[in-house]
Each structure stands twice: as structure tokens, then as C-alpha cells.
Amino acid sequence: MYFKSFNPLDGEQLQIMNEHGEIIRDDLMPDISDEDLIEMYKTMLFSRVIDTKTLQYQRQGRMLTYAPNLGQEATQVGTIAATRSTDWMASAFRELGAWLYRGAPLYNILLYWYGNEWGMHMPEDVKILPVSVPIASQLQHAAGLAYASVLKGEDDIAIGYVGDGGTSQGDFHEALNFAAVMNTPNVFIVQNNQYAISTKRSQQTNAATIAQKAIAYGMPGIQVDGNDIFAVYAATEEAVKRARSGGGPSLIECYTYRLGAHTTADDPTKYRDNEEVEQWKKKDPIDRLKKHLIMKNLWTEEKDLEQIENYGQYVKSTFEKVENSGLVPLEDVFDYHYEKRTPELERQYQERKAYNSSIGS
Ligand SMILES: Cc1ncc(C[n+]2csc(CCOP(=O)(O)OP(=O)(O)O)c2C)c(N)n1
């Protein structure tokens, strides 16, 4: 119903809740229990606290490069909440809210960003693939997993995430084309946060929307307000249902904004003006859902503060455990490429080892 009514070729965008947390399309409201909604909100809040504290640790020199999620929490949590735990999730690197909602342990997540690949070894029942660093490659993995599900006669689907920049990669095209031709049970989520590092969305595709690209592949596409968790959830739920019942893949463009930097190695003041950021702060997905929950008497400001405090303590103690686990040995970086180090890798390793001992590390 959502995909049919909101045709991306007509420039339509699905929105159910406005910026003040009010429901503007009651007729389109998805059916979410109060309990689930609170769980979704708490996960968004948790994600925000993790981002805030991790950025502090990074500035204190205790954490390596980190990719913050500020502003994208509804896109992440709203999409994954519409799947079930046996469905596969193939992620890029900016999907913290979705990882948390799916049950990825905080210790693992922080360990990964601390530079230890073992952080991405998820518990058996957490169907999340490791972070995929080559942009858009994860969509190929999602297409493969969905195809495997069909071959095995199962009804699990695979949800794959990509950024707006990632839609300009060949892997995006190959994955969507394969999925459409093979009618695989996939849901492709584009987190359109307007920038690929410093490249504006308008500089990397001339299409009016990313959602409309779906039409060319022969699958349904929709653009949703990515800061409106109800719109995000509703569209994903419909796409998941279609995929699970043999109706094939869909593409959902979540129109959102990256409030922070691309990563801690980036300085966004060099390529975007503050006024734009201030405008988007007013659309903050967390504030919006909080207002809605308070209006429904499901939440209070006091609870909010208490929850933030508890999450903060938890992040602090978990991060201390990660720090105490020690740094990964230098050898790991060079040993996991091939069965044996190549002569060039050996040269690089010796060079780095000599440098490390010259600075006493
Ligand atoms: C194949 C490939 N090319 C380049 C890079 C370097 N790189 C890392 S993140 C990034 C931008 C990604 O932008 P987008 O897909 O919009 O996701 P976002 O970071 O905004 O969430 C680039 C070019 C990479 N990781 N992989």
C-alpha cells in the first residue's frame, strides 16, 4: 500500500509523524505495540549515548577512528525492527542502532572500533554480517544470502544497508540487478544522509531521488522521511512481507541527515555550512519520537535523563573492559591478508615494526 501510494517518480515522500511528534497521517500508522515502540526509542537513545561517549574517548586519544550515527537513529532502528531475528542483516559501518536492536553486544561493537576484528564475531543467534569496508559490497552479500534462503526452502529474508554515496558503486547495481532478476527476498535500505564524506548527494547522482532507481531494476522503490520512525518502519514492514512471501526485492530510500562528521578523521565545517546543520537538528529523530511518546504518556523527561545516565555508566564500564583487553598485535594487520605474508607485506611489516620501536610503542 505504501509503495503503490508513494511513487518516487512523482517526487512523493512517505511521512506519518511531523517534526513535533504529531501523527499527520493516522490512516497510515503501522501497528506497533507500546512495548516495542519504547524498545525502539530506548535503542535510539542508547545509540546516541554511545556516539557521544565514543567521540569523547576518541578526542582523548583512547579510541581509533569512529563513524558516528547522530541523526540517523530512526533510519537504523525503524528498519531493523520490521525484520525478525532469523533474517540476515548485511551492514556497512554506520548502522549502530540496527546492530544494537538486533542484540549485537556493546563490548563487541566497541572492540571492533578499537581496532580488534574479533569484535565482529557475533554470537551465533545474531544474524549480522561483519562490517563491510569496501563501499556497497555488503549488498552483494545480502543478495547472496537471500538467494541461499530460497535455495534452502527457507523464508528468511536479507536486509542490506548502503549510504547514498554507495549507490554510485558498481556493487550497488550488480546486487540490485541480480536480486530483481532472481526475485530474491531482499530489502535494500539506502541511508541517504546527504553526503559521502565531503561529496554532496547532488554531486554523485543526477537522479532526482535514489528511490526512483528501483524502477529501472524492476523492483518497487519508495522514499521515506528517514527521521520519522513510523514512516521508516511502515515501508520496511511492507517490503519485508513482500520479500518473505516470494514477491521479490524492494529499495527504500531513507531521507535523513548526518548531523556529525563522516568519521572522527573528517572536518565537515570545510564543506557544509552550519545553517544547514541547524535546520536538520530541528528534525532530530530522537526528539521527535520523544515528543510523541510524552504526548502518549509513554515516557517522561525524568525517565529520559535516568536512562541516559544508566546508558552512560554502561558504556563507560564496557569501554574500560575493551581498553583492558589490550591492543591487537601488530602482526595481525599483516597476517590476515594471505595464508603467508608476501615479500611486500613482510617489507611493510618490518618498516612499521622499526617505526614503532623508534617511538617506543
Ligand atoms: C570501494 C570503496 N571506495 C572508497 C572507499 C572510501 N570511503 C569510505 S566511506 C566513503 C563514503 C561513503 O559514503 P556513503 O556511502 O554515502 O555512506 P556514509 O559514510 O555517508 O554513511 C568512502 C568513499 C571505500 N571504503 N570503499
Side-chain angles (χ1 to χ4, degrees):
M1 123 181 144
Y2 302 102
F3 280 75
K4 280 229 165 69
S5 311
F6 291 83
N7 183 346
L9 291 176
D10 296 335
E12 301 254 22
Q13 186 186 88
L14 172 65
Q15 190 187 74
I16 298 176
M17 173 171 61
N18 69 14
E19 289 169 39
H20 311 293
E22 297 154 353
I23 302 305
I24 49 168
R25 289 295 304 265
D26 237 332
D27 56 322
L28 299 180
M29 259 306 260
D31 189 15
I32 307 175
S33 69
D34 289 349
E35 204 184 18
D36 285 348
L37 197 52
I38 292 170
E39 194 54 38
M40 286 157 82
Y41 177 72
K42 281 164 65 176
T43 307
M44 289 163 74
L45 204 59
F46 189 24
S47 164
R48 184 67 61 94
V49 172
I50 296 168
D51 273 339
T52 311
K53 291 200 77 73
T54 310
L55 287 169
Q56 288 166 0
Y57 298 144
Q58 203 278 337
R59 294 298 182 241
Q60 291 164 3
R62 298 162 65 191
M63 186 69 155
L64 299 174
T65 308
Y66 179 75
N69 305 269
L70 309 180
Q72 297 182 223
E73 295 88 350
T75 289
Q76 300 173 359
V77 175
T79 48
I80 203 73
T83 64
R84 68 182 189 202
S85 60
T86 52
D87 293 332
W88 277 100
M89 171 189 175
S91 64
F93 47 81
R94 206 186 302 281
E95 270 85 38
L96 176 63
W99 294 334
L100 295 170
Y101 198 82
R102 259 302 172 83
L106 179 62
Y107 178 80
N108 291 47
I109 296 171
L110 293 178
L111 191 67
Y112 172 77
W113 287 109
Y114 198 65
N116 191 332
E117 298 279 345
W118 287 99
M120 278 292 130
H121 282 242
M122 291 290 151
E124 191 62 32
D125 57 342
V126 177
K127 303 284 183 210
I128 302 176
L129 292 192
V131 163
S132 192
V133 172
I135 303 297
S137 55
Q138 67 278 7
L139 298 187
Q140 305 260 26
H141 310 152
L145 284 166
Y147 187 45
S149 174
V150 174
L151 293 179
K152 289 161 84 179
E154 293 169 349
D155 71 346
D156 295 326
I157 67 119
I159 187 165
Y161 291 81
V162 72
D164 44 299
T167 65
S168 293
Q169 288 283 130
D171 279 11
F172 173 81
H173 166 78
E174 289 166 24
L176 267 70
N177 196 54
F178 175 88
V181 170
M182 305 304 283
N183 202 45
T184 55
N186 277 116
V187 179
F188 297 109
I189 305 292
V190 179
Q191 292 203 62
N192 176 5
N193 66 8
Q194 316 294 327
Y195 289 89
I197 315 186
S198 56
T199 304
K200 277 187 181 181
R201 187 216 127 345
S202 60
Q203 291 170 320
Q204 59 88 21
T205 176
N206 201 31
T209 65
I210 291 171
Q212 73 189 46
K213 292 179 190 246
I215 314 300
Y217 295 110
M219 69 173 77
I222 191 170
Q223 187 189 66
V224 305
D225 176 345
N227 289 10
D228 167 1
I229 194 147
F230 296 116
V232 170
Y233 181 91
T236 313
E237 190 184 36
E238 182 180 317
V240 167
K241 207 179 277 180
R242 176 166 42 248
R244 207 181 302 291
S245 60
S250 315
L251 176 69
I252 301 175
E253 175 188 2
C254 298
Y255 192 82
T256 182
Y257 194 79
R258 190 190 79 213
L259 286 173
H262 169 76
T263 66
T264 44
D266 166 49
D267 177 4
T269 61
K270 296 257 192 305
Y271 56 83
R272 69 183 189 192
D273 57 47
N274 204 35
E275 204 183 308
E276 181 183 286
V277 182
E278 289 306 313
Q279 286 308 317
W280 275 94
K281 274 190 188 161
K282 293 183 192 148
K283 302 178 195 202
D284 189 313
I286 298 189
D287 281 353
R288 206 151 148 182
L289 183 56
K290 182 169 82 174
K291 282 181 189 143
H292 178 79
L293 293 179
I294 290 177
M295 272 187 280
K296 279 185 78 181
N297 289 325
L298 290 174
W299 199 248
T300 61
E301 291 287 1
E302 294 71 48
K303 262 194 204 170
D304 214 62
L305 290 174
E306 194 186 321
Q307 200 72 55
I308 290 171
E309 173 62 26
N310 290 343
Y311 285 145
Q313 290 300 334
Y314 184 56
V315 177
K316 185 171 175 284
S317 60
T318 309
F319 185 65
E320 281 165 5
K321 270 191 218 146
V322 168
E323 275 184 318
N324 290 335
S325 74
L327 293 174
V328 287
L330 178 63
E331 287 72 19
D332 277 14
V333 180
F334 299 90
D335 284 344
Y336 291 151
H337 289 266
Y338 301 102
E339 191 188 1
K340 259 178 71 195
R341 270 183 224 163
T342 61
E344 174 55 18
L345 277 175
E346 182 60 29
R347 188 194 65 73
Q348 290 178 17
Y349 167 65
Q350 294 299 343
E351 187 179 298
R352 183 71 206 194
K353 200 165 92 166
Y355 173 76
N356 280 7
S357 43
S358 76
I359 58 167
S361 88

PDB file of all heavy atoms in Angstrom, residues 72 92-95 132-136 162-167 169 191 193-197 199 204 258 262-263, ligand 1:
ATOM      1  N   GLN A  72      20.755   9.633  12.445  1.00  0.00           N
ATOM      2  CA  GLN A  72      20.288   8.538  11.592  1.00  0.00           C
ATOM      3  C   GLN A  72      19.651   7.396  12.396  1.00  0.00           C
ATOM      4  O   GLN A  72      19.430   6.306  11.883  1.00  0.00           O
ATOM      5  CB  GLN A  72      21.450   8.018  10.741  1.00  0.00           C
ATOM      6  CG  GLN A  72      21.989   9.071   9.795  1.00  0.00           C
ATOM      7  CD  GLN A  72      23.121   8.592   8.899  1.00  0.00           C
ATOM      8  OE1 GLN A  72      24.087   9.293   8.718  1.00  0.00           O
ATOM      9  NE2 GLN A  72      23.019   7.400   8.333  1.00  0.00           N
ATOM     10  N   ALA A  92      26.943  -1.788   6.343  1.00  0.00           N
ATOM     11  CA  ALA A  92      28.164  -1.049   6.033  1.00  0.00           C
ATOM     12  C   ALA A  92      28.840  -0.804   7.381  1.00  0.00           C
ATOM     13  O   ALA A  92      29.114  -1.763   8.103  1.00  0.00           O
ATOM     14  CB  ALA A  92      27.816   0.248   5.317  1.00  0.00           C
ATOM     15  N   PHE A  93      29.054   0.454   7.748  1.00  0.00           N
ATOM     16  CA  PHE A  93      29.725   0.718   9.032  1.00  0.00           C
ATOM     17  C   PHE A  93      28.921   1.682   9.898  1.00  0.00           C
ATOM     18  O   PHE A  93      29.262   1.899  11.041  1.00  0.00           O
ATOM     19  CB  PHE A  93      31.127   1.295   8.788  1.00  0.00           C
ATOM     20  CG  PHE A  93      31.119   2.393   7.767  1.00  0.00           C
ATOM     21  CD1 PHE A  93      30.757   3.684   8.102  1.00  0.00           C
ATOM     22  CD2 PHE A  93      31.416   2.121   6.434  1.00  0.00           C
ATOM     23  CE1 PHE A  93      30.711   4.686   7.151  1.00  0.00           C
ATOM     24  CE2 PHE A  93      31.369   3.127   5.469  1.00  0.00           C
ATOM     25  CZ  PHE A  93      31.010   4.419   5.839  1.00  0.00           C
ATOM     26  N   ARG A  94      27.840   2.302   9.313  1.00  0.00           N
ATOM     27  CA  ARG A  94      27.094   3.300  10.076  1.00  0.00           C
ATOM     28  C   ARG A  94      25.698   2.749  10.385  1.00  0.00           C
ATOM     29  O   ARG A  94      24.698   3.300   9.946  1.00  0.00           O
ATOM     30  CB  ARG A  94      27.000   4.602   9.276  1.00  0.00           C
ATOM     31  CG  ARG A  94      26.824   5.858  10.142  1.00  0.00           C
ATOM     32  CD  ARG A  94      26.585   7.087   9.283  1.00  0.00           C
ATOM     33  NE  ARG A  94      27.633   7.345   8.331  1.00  0.00           N
ATOM     34  CZ  ARG A  94      28.804   7.927   8.609  1.00  0.00           C
ATOM     35  NH1 ARG A  94      29.051   8.338   9.820  1.00  0.00           N
ATOM     36  NH2 ARG A  94      29.720   8.124   7.669  1.00  0.00           N
ATOM     37  N   GLU A  95      25.665   1.656  11.132  1.00  0.00           N
ATOM     38  CA  GLU A  95      24.387   1.014  11.428  1.00  0.00           C
ATOM     39  C   GLU A  95      24.262   0.669  12.900  1.00  0.00           C
ATOM     40  O   GLU A  95      23.649  -0.326  13.263  1.00  0.00           O
ATOM     41  CB  GLU A  95      24.235  -0.260  10.578  1.00  0.00           C
ATOM     42  CG  GLU A  95      23.586  -0.059   9.246  1.00  0.00           C
ATOM     43  CD  GLU A  95      24.579   0.369   8.174  1.00  0.00           C
ATOM     44  OE1 GLU A  95      25.704  -0.137   8.176  1.00  0.00           O
ATOM     45  OE2 GLU A  95      24.227   1.218   7.339  1.00  0.00           O
ATOM     46  N   SER A 132      31.365  -4.164   6.488  1.00  0.00           N
ATOM     47  CA  SER A 132      31.940  -4.304   5.160  1.00  0.00           C
ATOM     48  C   SER A 132      32.556  -2.957   4.779  1.00  0.00           C
ATOM     49  O   SER A 132      31.838  -1.982   4.602  1.00  0.00           O
ATOM     50  CB  SER A 132      30.811  -4.677   4.205  1.00  0.00           C
ATOM     51  OG  SER A 132      31.320  -5.079   2.988  1.00  0.00           O
ATOM     52  N   VAL A 133      33.866  -2.919   4.698  1.00  0.00           N
ATOM     53  CA  VAL A 133      34.513  -1.627   4.447  1.00  0.00           C
ATOM     54  C   VAL A 133      34.455  -1.198   2.976  1.00  0.00           C
ATOM     55  O   VAL A 133      34.203  -0.040   2.678  1.00  0.00           O
ATOM     56  CB  VAL A 133      35.949  -1.610   5.029  1.00  0.00           C
ATOM     57  CG1 VAL A 133      36.682  -0.339   4.604  1.00  0.00           C
ATOM     58  CG2 VAL A 133      35.888  -1.676   6.550  1.00  0.00           C
ATOM     59  N   PRO A 134      34.662  -2.123   2.013  1.00  0.00           N
ATOM     60  CA  PRO A 134      34.518  -1.671   0.616  1.00  0.00           C
ATOM     61  C   PRO A 134      33.057  -1.259   0.368  1.00  0.00           C
ATOM     62  O   PRO A 134      32.144  -2.070   0.489  1.00  0.00           O
ATOM     63  CB  PRO A 134      34.894  -2.899  -0.210  1.00  0.00           C
ATOM     64  CG  PRO A 134      35.538  -3.843   0.740  1.00  0.00           C
ATOM     65  CD  PRO A 134      34.969  -3.550   2.091  1.00  0.00           C
ATOM     66  N   ILE A 135      32.855   0.002   0.058  1.00  0.00           N
ATOM     67  CA  ILE A 135      31.507   0.561  -0.035  1.00  0.00           C
ATOM     68  C   ILE A 135      30.615  -0.230  -0.987  1.00  0.00           C
ATOM     69  O   ILE A 135      30.992  -0.484  -2.126  1.00  0.00           O
ATOM     70  CB  ILE A 135      31.583   2.031  -0.526  1.00  0.00           C
ATOM     71  CG1 ILE A 135      32.453   2.863   0.408  1.00  0.00           C
ATOM     72  CG2 ILE A 135      30.216   2.656  -0.688  1.00  0.00           C
ATOM     73  CD1 ILE A 135      31.952   2.985   1.804  1.00  0.00           C
ATOM     74  N   ALA A 136      29.447  -0.578  -0.532  1.00  0.00           N
ATOM     75  CA  ALA A 136      28.376  -1.260  -1.286  1.00  0.00           C
ATOM     76  C   ALA A 136      28.575  -2.760  -1.482  1.00  0.00           C
ATOM     77  O   ALA A 136      27.660  -3.444  -1.941  1.00  0.00           O
ATOM     78  CB  ALA A 136      28.096  -0.585  -2.626  1.00  0.00           C
ATOM     79  N   VAL A 162      23.131   0.610   2.745  1.00  0.00           N
ATOM     80  CA  VAL A 162      24.164   1.315   1.992  1.00  0.00           C
ATOM     81  C   VAL A 162      23.939   2.814   2.160  1.00  0.00           C
ATOM     82  O   VAL A 162      22.803   3.245   2.412  1.00  0.00           O
ATOM     83  CB  VAL A 162      24.123   0.877   0.500  1.00  0.00           C
ATOM     84  CG1 VAL A 162      22.915   1.437  -0.232  1.00  0.00           C
ATOM     85  CG2 VAL A 162      25.401   1.224  -0.247  1.00  0.00           C
ATOM     86  N   GLY A 163      24.995   3.602   1.991  1.00  0.00           N
ATOM     87  CA  GLY A 163      24.841   5.055   2.054  1.00  0.00           C
ATOM     88  C   GLY A 163      24.486   5.616   0.688  1.00  0.00           C
ATOM     89  O   GLY A 163      24.543   4.900  -0.320  1.00  0.00           O
ATOM     90  N   ASP A 164      24.146   6.888   0.614  1.00  0.00           N
ATOM     91  CA  ASP A 164      23.817   7.494  -0.682  1.00  0.00           C
ATOM     92  C   ASP A 164      25.029   7.429  -1.622  1.00  0.00           C
ATOM     93  O   ASP A 164      24.877   7.167  -2.810  1.00  0.00           O
ATOM     94  CB  ASP A 164      23.349   8.953  -0.517  1.00  0.00           C
ATOM     95  CG  ASP A 164      24.204   9.739   0.458  1.00  0.00           C
ATOM     96  OD1 ASP A 164      24.263   9.343   1.628  1.00  0.00           O
ATOM     97  OD2 ASP A 164      24.816  10.736   0.043  1.00  0.00           O
ATOM     98  N   GLY A 165      26.230   7.623  -1.072  1.00  0.00           N
ATOM     99  CA  GLY A 165      27.430   7.536  -1.905  1.00  0.00           C
ATOM    100  C   GLY A 165      27.601   6.134  -2.473  1.00  0.00           C
ATOM    101  O   GLY A 165      28.015   5.965  -3.623  1.00  0.00           O
ATOM    102  N   GLY A 166      27.246   5.152  -1.685  1.00  0.00           N
ATOM    103  CA  GLY A 166      27.389   3.759  -2.101  1.00  0.00           C
ATOM    104  C   GLY A 166      26.535   3.407  -3.313  1.00  0.00           C
ATOM    105  O   GLY A 166      26.833   2.438  -4.035  1.00  0.00           O
ATOM    106  N   THR A 167      25.492   4.199  -3.568  1.00  0.00           N
ATOM    107  CA  THR A 167      24.621   3.880  -4.716  1.00  0.00           C
ATOM    108  C   THR A 167      25.308   4.209  -6.041  1.00  0.00           C
ATOM    109  O   THR A 167      24.787   3.877  -7.099  1.00  0.00           O
ATOM    110  CB  THR A 167      23.268   4.622  -4.635  1.00  0.00           C
ATOM    111  OG1 THR A 167      23.507   6.034  -4.753  1.00  0.00           O
ATOM    112  CG2 THR A 167      22.534   4.324  -3.351  1.00  0.00           C
ATOM    113  N   GLN A 169      28.326   3.067  -6.646  1.00  0.00           N
ATOM    114  CA  GLN A 169      29.279   1.973  -6.836  1.00  0.00           C
ATOM    115  C   GLN A 169      28.685   0.892  -7.737  1.00  0.00           C
ATOM    116  O   GLN A 169      27.476   0.651  -7.701  1.00  0.00           O
ATOM    117  CB  GLN A 169      29.625   1.336  -5.488  1.00  0.00           C
ATOM    118  CG  GLN A 169      30.481   2.183  -4.604  1.00  0.00           C
ATOM    119  CD  GLN A 169      31.933   2.171  -5.027  1.00  0.00           C
ATOM    120  OE1 GLN A 169      32.548   3.208  -5.177  1.00  0.00           O
ATOM    121  NE2 GLN A 169      32.489   1.006  -5.243  1.00  0.00           N
ATOM    122  N   GLN A 191      20.633   4.654   3.325  1.00  0.00           N
ATOM    123  CA  GLN A 191      20.627   5.729   4.325  1.00  0.00           C
ATOM    124  C   GLN A 191      21.155   6.970   3.612  1.00  0.00           C
ATOM    125  O   GLN A 191      22.367   7.192   3.558  1.00  0.00           O
ATOM    126  CB  GLN A 191      21.545   5.383   5.499  1.00  0.00           C
ATOM    127  CG  GLN A 191      21.066   4.231   6.345  1.00  0.00           C
ATOM    128  CD  GLN A 191      21.663   4.317   7.742  1.00  0.00           C
ATOM    129  OE1 GLN A 191      21.421   5.267   8.480  1.00  0.00           O
ATOM    130  NE2 GLN A 191      22.459   3.335   8.116  1.00  0.00           N
ATOM    131  N   ASN A 193      22.112  10.170   3.802  1.00  0.00           N
ATOM    132  CA  ASN A 193      22.414  11.216   4.802  1.00  0.00           C
ATOM    133  C   ASN A 193      23.016  12.447   4.137  1.00  0.00           C
ATOM    134  O   ASN A 193      23.671  13.259   4.769  1.00  0.00           O
ATOM    135  CB  ASN A 193      23.303  10.664   5.914  1.00  0.00           C
ATOM    136  CG  ASN A 193      24.695  10.279   5.423  1.00  0.00           C
ATOM    137  OD1 ASN A 193      25.074  10.552   4.286  1.00  0.00           O
ATOM    138  ND2 ASN A 193      25.463   9.638   6.284  1.00  0.00           N
ATOM    139  N   GLN A 194      22.826  12.540   2.827  1.00  0.00           N
ATOM    140  CA  GLN A 194      23.178  13.733   2.021  1.00  0.00           C
ATOM    141  C   GLN A 194      24.644  13.872   1.630  1.00  0.00           C
ATOM    142  O   GLN A 194      24.954  14.636   0.715  1.00  0.00           O
ATOM    143  CB  GLN A 194      22.724  15.036   2.694  1.00  0.00           C
ATOM    144  CG  GLN A 194      21.326  15.015   3.267  1.00  0.00           C
ATOM    145  CD  GLN A 194      20.259  14.881   2.192  1.00  0.00           C
ATOM    146  OE1 GLN A 194      20.427  15.378   1.100  1.00  0.00           O
ATOM    147  NE2 GLN A 194      19.179  14.199   2.508  1.00  0.00           N
ATOM    148  N   TYR A 195      25.523  13.168   2.299  1.00  0.00           N
ATOM    149  CA  TYR A 195      26.958  13.317   1.989  1.00  0.00           C
ATOM    150  C   TYR A 195      27.667  11.968   1.957  1.00  0.00           C
ATOM    151  O   TYR A 195      27.352  11.081   2.749  1.00  0.00           O
ATOM    152  CB  TYR A 195      27.667  14.185   3.041  1.00  0.00           C
ATOM    153  CG  TYR A 195      27.286  15.645   2.954  1.00  0.00           C
ATOM    154  CD1 TYR A 195      26.195  16.129   3.666  1.00  0.00           C
ATOM    155  CD2 TYR A 195      28.003  16.528   2.151  1.00  0.00           C
ATOM    156  CE1 TYR A 195      25.824  17.466   3.575  1.00  0.00           C
ATOM    157  CE2 TYR A 195      27.635  17.861   2.050  1.00  0.00           C
ATOM    158  CZ  TYR A 195      26.548  18.327   2.764  1.00  0.00           C
ATOM    159  OH  TYR A 195      26.178  19.638   2.663  1.00  0.00           O
ATOM    160  N   ALA A 196      28.634  11.852   1.046  1.00  0.00           N
ATOM    161  CA  ALA A 196      29.577  10.731   1.067  1.00  0.00           C
ATOM    162  C   ALA A 196      30.923  11.372   1.384  1.00  0.00           C
ATOM    163  O   ALA A 196      31.553  11.961   0.504  1.00  0.00           O
ATOM    164  CB  ALA A 196      29.612  10.027  -0.277  1.00  0.00           C
ATOM    165  N   ILE A 197      31.339  11.323   2.606  1.00  0.00           N
ATOM    166  CA  ILE A 197      32.409  12.175   3.153  1.00  0.00           C
ATOM    167  C   ILE A 197      32.077  13.613   2.747  1.00  0.00           C
ATOM    168  O   ILE A 197      31.047  14.133   3.172  1.00  0.00           O
ATOM    169  CB  ILE A 197      33.837  11.718   2.758  1.00  0.00           C
ATOM    170  CG1 ILE A 197      33.973  10.181   2.930  1.00  0.00           C
ATOM    171  CG2 ILE A 197      34.871  12.434   3.638  1.00  0.00           C
ATOM    172  CD1 ILE A 197      35.371   9.639   2.711  1.00  0.00           C
ATOM    173  N   THR A 199      31.448  14.647  -0.411  1.00  0.00           N
ATOM    174  CA  THR A 199      30.716  14.716  -1.681  1.00  0.00           C
ATOM    175  C   THR A 199      29.213  14.798  -1.431  1.00  0.00           C
ATOM    176  O   THR A 199      28.630  13.893  -0.830  1.00  0.00           O
ATOM    177  CB  THR A 199      31.042  13.475  -2.557  1.00  0.00           C
ATOM    178  OG1 THR A 199      32.443  13.419  -2.733  1.00  0.00           O
ATOM    179  CG2 THR A 199      30.355  13.561  -3.908  1.00  0.00           C
ATOM    180  N   GLN A 204      26.993  13.280  -6.829  1.00  0.00           N
ATOM    181  CA  GLN A 204      27.302  11.895  -7.181  1.00  0.00           C
ATOM    182  C   GLN A 204      26.177  11.128  -7.867  1.00  0.00           C
ATOM    183  O   GLN A 204      26.383  10.005  -8.284  1.00  0.00           O
ATOM    184  CB  GLN A 204      27.913  11.150  -5.988  1.00  0.00           C
ATOM    185  CG  GLN A 204      27.073  11.065  -4.736  1.00  0.00           C
ATOM    186  CD  GLN A 204      26.152   9.871  -4.739  1.00  0.00           C
ATOM    187  OE1 GLN A 204      26.409   8.930  -5.461  1.00  0.00           O
ATOM    188  NE2 GLN A 204      25.088   9.935  -3.986  1.00  0.00           N
ATOM    189  N   ARG A 258      23.270  13.385   8.202  1.00  0.00           N
ATOM    190  CA  ARG A 258      24.347  13.039   9.137  1.00  0.00           C
ATOM    191  C   ARG A 258      24.675  14.299   9.927  1.00  0.00           C
ATOM    192  O   ARG A 258      25.298  15.213   9.400  1.00  0.00           O
ATOM    193  CB  ARG A 258      25.550  12.601   8.292  1.00  0.00           C
ATOM    194  CG  ARG A 258      26.690  11.982   9.045  1.00  0.00           C
ATOM    195  CD  ARG A 258      27.889  11.834   8.129  1.00  0.00           C
ATOM    196  NE  ARG A 258      28.593  13.094   7.971  1.00  0.00           N
ATOM    197  CZ  ARG A 258      29.221  13.491   6.875  1.00  0.00           C
ATOM    198  NH1 ARG A 258      29.230  12.747   5.800  1.00  0.00           N
ATOM    199  NH2 ARG A 258      29.850  14.648   6.839  1.00  0.00           N
ATOM    200  N   HIS A 262      31.725  12.649   9.048  1.00  0.00           N
ATOM    201  CA  HIS A 262      31.733  11.332   8.387  1.00  0.00           C
ATOM    202  C   HIS A 262      32.375  10.307   9.324  1.00  0.00           C
ATOM    203  O   HIS A 262      31.803   9.267   9.617  1.00  0.00           O
ATOM    204  CB  HIS A 262      32.497  11.425   7.064  1.00  0.00           C
ATOM    205  CG  HIS A 262      32.775  10.099   6.454  1.00  0.00           C
ATOM    206  ND1 HIS A 262      31.814   9.366   5.816  1.00  0.00           N
ATOM    207  CD2 HIS A 262      33.904   9.347   6.436  1.00  0.00           C
ATOM    208  CE1 HIS A 262      32.348   8.224   5.413  1.00  0.00           C
ATOM    209  NE2 HIS A 262      33.598   8.192   5.780  1.00  0.00           N
ATOM    210  N   THR A 263      33.588  10.640   9.746  1.00  0.00           N
ATOM    211  CA  THR A 263      34.243   9.893  10.822  1.00  0.00           C
ATOM    212  C   THR A 263      35.011  10.920  11.645  1.00  0.00           C
ATOM    213  O   THR A 263      35.051  12.099  11.280  1.00  0.00           O
ATOM    214  CB  THR A 263      35.282   8.844  10.321  1.00  0.00           C
ATOM    215  OG1 THR A 263      36.362   9.548   9.700  1.00  0.00           O
ATOM    216  CG2 THR A 263      34.694   7.832   9.377  1.00  0.00           C
TER     217      THR A 263
HETATM  218  C1  LIG B   1      35.120   0.772  -2.682  1.00  0.00           C
HETATM  219  C2  LIG B   1      35.481   1.881  -1.735  1.00  0.00           C
HETATM  220  N1  LIG B   1      35.837   3.081  -2.219  1.00  0.00           N
HETATM  221  C3  LIG B   1      36.140   4.102  -1.370  1.00  0.00           C
HETATM  222  C4  LIG B   1      36.122   3.910  -0.016  1.00  0.00           C
HETATM  223  C5  LIG B   1      36.456   5.056   0.950  1.00  0.00           C
HETATM  224  N2  LIG B   1      35.223   5.533   1.605  1.00  0.00           N
HETATM  225  C6  LIG B   1      34.928   5.185   2.866  1.00  0.00           C
HETATM  226  S1  LIG B   1      33.466   5.821   3.362  1.00  0.00           S
HETATM  227  C7  LIG B   1      33.204   6.590   1.886  1.00  0.00           C
HETATM  228  C8  LIG B   1      31.950   7.405   1.642  1.00  0.00           C
HETATM  229  C9  LIG B   1      30.703   6.626   1.858  1.00  0.00           C
HETATM  230  O1  LIG B   1      29.582   7.452   1.725  1.00  0.00           O
HETATM  231  P1  LIG B   1      28.119   6.885   1.816  1.00  0.00           P
HETATM  232  O2  LIG B   1      28.016   5.619   1.027  1.00  0.00           O
HETATM  233  O3  LIG B   1      27.195   7.972   1.456  1.00  0.00           O
HETATM  234  O4  LIG B   1      27.956   6.463   3.335  1.00  0.00           O
HETATM  235  P2  LIG B   1      28.087   7.368   4.641  1.00  0.00           P
HETATM  236  O5  LIG B   1      29.518   7.338   5.052  1.00  0.00           O
HETATM  237  O6  LIG B   1      27.601   8.737   4.306  1.00  0.00           O
HETATM  238  O7  LIG B   1      27.234   6.716   5.660  1.00  0.00           O
HETATM  239  C10 LIG B   1      34.269   6.349   1.024  1.00  0.00           C
HETATM  240  C11 LIG B   1      34.366   6.895  -0.350  1.00  0.00           C
HETATM  241  C12 LIG B   1      35.750   2.618   0.462  1.00  0.00           C
HETATM  242  N3  LIG B   1      35.669   2.342   1.757  1.00  0.00           N
HETATM  243  N4  LIG B   1      35.423   1.633  -0.425  1.00  0.00           N
END
